[in-house]
Amino acid sequence: MKQKTIVEAPAREIQTDREKVLKKKLLALLRDDGKGHKHAKYAERLEDFIIKIVPYKEDPRMTAAISFEEVTIYISDGFLTDPDTFYQLNVLMRHELAHYLMQHQIRMMHKIIEKYGEEGYTRISMSQTLHGLMNIIEDFEISNERYTDADKI
């Protein structure tokens, strides 16, 4: 008799009740912000992610970040204290999800391998300097290709 192989799913963090409530509010905000902006496709993508709230005191410079490996979006709790700031999460969530949708890292990996081979990619991909520079370039790409005029205001 052939032995079955059991494959474990990757470990996922558990959302707190506060994070679950926040995710529902973010989904509603993306679907209709009450100001004429509707982003149902982004809401659909957000459904797949875990939301984690990062305490402002823990990282005062942090706004939001996305981790593809952890299927998680991190949001500073500084955005959750004021309704006007909460509204900004509409743009911020679309920005983080655009990183996911635009697949910057995969496109970069193919270009580097094409030019420098697997060894070159391995060496370059470990560079913290390159990671910081790529994030800036990725942010410009998102703002140029995904932001509406209202977002830019």
Side-chain angles (χ1 to χ4, degrees):
M1 183 173 200
K2 202 172 189 179
Q3 189 83 13
K4 288 187 179 182
T5 304
I6 298 174
V7 179
E8 290 187 36
R12 288 178 56 136
E13 286 194 50
I14 297 180
Q15 295 179 111
T16 64
D17 288 341
R18 183 177 180 218
E19 290 163 341
K20 289 176 187 175
V21 168
L22 173 59
K23 183 174 179 177
K24 286 181 183 178
K25 288 181 179 179
L26 291 170
L27 289 167
L29 179 67
L30 288 171
R31 288 183 182 122
D32 186 352
D33 67 1
K35 298 180 180 184
H37 307 107
K38 298 178 186 212
H39 303 284
K41 198 57 146 176
Y42 282 100
E44 186 180 317
R45 295 294 182 259
L46 181 62
E47 298 240 12
D48 296 333
F49 284 84
I50 293 169
I51 298 295
K52 295 303 290 177
I53 298 170
V54 178
Y56 179 79
K57 289 179 182 177
E58 189 177 300
D59 190 351
R61 296 184 64 215
M62 197 267 201
T63 53
I66 189 167
S67 170
F68 308 123
E69 295 82 15
E70 297 171 11
V71 195
T72 302
I73 296 178
Y74 298 90
I75 302 169
S76 171
D77 69 356
F79 281 95
L80 310 178
T81 58
D82 179 338
D84 290 334
T85 340
F86 179 80
Y87 174 76
Q88 293 175 9
L89 287 172
N90 182 326
V91 175
L92 202 54
M93 288 301 92
R94 288 186 289 117
H95 177 94
E96 294 306 325
L97 289 164
H99 280 294
Y100 174 68
L101 295 169
M102 295 177 83
Q103 300 293 310
H104 308 286
Q105 293 159 328
I106 292 171
R107 290 184 291 130
M108 179 189 76
M109 176 187 72
H110 287 291
K111 293 271 186 202
I112 291 173
I113 289 172
E114 187 179 289
K115 187 164 182 149
Y116 301 105
E118 296 275 341
E119 184 181 310
Y121 173 73
T122 302
R123 192 174 64 249
I124 290 171
S125 68
M126 301 306 244
S127 166
Q128 285 300 323
T129 303
L130 179 63
H131 174 73
L133 179 60
M134 283 303 299
N135 193 53
I136 293 168
I137 292 168
E138 292 165 3
D139 287 349
F140 276 121
E141 182 179 33
I142 290 169
S143 66
N144 289 332
E145 294 186 23
R146 301 290 175 164
Y147 284 7
T148 66
D149 290 339
D151 294 339
K152 291 175 183 178
I153 291 169

